[in-house]
Amino acid sequence: MAKVTNQEVIALLDEKFGNKITDVNEPYGLLTFETTKDVIIEVLKFLKENTATDFNFLTDITAVHYPEKKHGIAVVYHLHSMVKGIRVRIKVYIDEQHPTIPTATSVWNGANWMERETYDFFGVKFEGHPDLRRILNMDDLGVFPMLKQYPLEDPNRVDKKDEYFGR
């Protein structure tokens, strides 16, 4: 079992996908890079099926909302090669107004529930998902709770106003 390094993984990705792999860095040793939604499934398949990388475990799919950025939502994939002893984080920025991305269920069956949870909390629609519906919140909930669209506190709370406490 030969270990693979972050630099070897990036070299393989660069050879295969070229400029579709961007913003490569290694915070705390975790290989992190960005790609686009038009090639994300190809990237995931490549990392899983390539014997040099052998990313055999999809650890997580989630999202992060960045309301101040041009593309407001980042869909984040965490992969782990238990054979090669390496992890990777992949980010795909998508439009907050039309949050769609292809489903990874064609690559990993386990992506099913992770994508449902991401849809439930962030509103990301995974195109081609076999059963995309809410998993934890009520079906008739009209918002996606993890989007930073509302103030953190109710501005009408009187227990926070100084004039009521002689301050």
Side-chain angles (χ1 to χ4, degrees):
M1 168 175 87
K3 299 260 183 190
V4 64
T5 66
N6 290 348
Q7 289 71 30
E8 292 170 332
V9 173
I10 286 301
L12 288 167
L13 287 166
D14 191 43
E15 181 181 313
K16 174 83 173 162
F17 298 100
N19 63 358
K20 292 289 187 172
I21 304 299
T22 59
D23 199 25
V24 177
N25 57 37
E26 297 179 69
Y28 304 103
L30 176 61
L31 177 59
T32 303
F33 62 88
E34 294 176 17
T35 191
T36 59
K37 72 179 188 176
D38 59 320
V39 296
I40 183 60
I41 300 306
E42 293 173 53
V43 170
L44 293 174
K45 279 183 186 175
F46 176 78
L47 289 171
K48 180 181 181 184
E49 296 170 358
N50 189 311
T51 55
T53 57
D54 200 17
F55 282 95
N56 54 352
F57 185 68
L58 174 65
T59 307
D60 193 24
I61 300 174
T62 190
V64 181
H65 184 212
Y66 297 103
E68 70 282 354
K69 290 192 176 182
K70 184 178 112 182
H71 295 289
I73 297 177
V75 179
V76 183
Y77 300 82
H78 289 104
L79 307 179
H80 185 192
S81 173
M82 290 185 253
V83 175
K84 305 291 184 177
I86 190 170
R87 296 175 188 266
V88 68
R89 175 174 44 209
I90 307 165
K91 296 180 182 181
V92 179
Y93 285 93
I94 59 175
D95 183 13
E96 183 177 347
Q97 303 307 317
H98 306 285
T100 61
I101 193 167
T103 183
T105 56
S106 60
V107 183
W108 281 284
N109 289 333
N112 188 321
W113 286 68
M114 296 175 200
E115 289 179 350
R116 284 181 63 187
E117 182 184 44
T118 304
Y119 165 72
D120 194 5
F121 284 105
F122 293 93
V124 175
K125 295 176 184 82
F126 292 89
E127 297 170 331
H129 190 281
D131 187 23
L132 191 62
R133 58 189 164 99
R134 290 196 182 265
I135 193 170
L136 295 169
N137 291 304
M138 303 172 299
D139 290 336
D140 58 349
L141 183 65
V143 298
F144 298 103
M146 294 301 288
L147 294 181
K148 299 170 185 150
Q149 297 173 325
Y150 305 101
L152 291 177
E153 289 189 4
D154 180 3
N156 299 317
R157 286 181 59 177
V158 296
D159 63 328
K160 297 283 186 167
K161 295 186 178 177
D162 286 344
E163 64 261 17
Y164 289 107
F165 299 98
R167 294 184 280 214

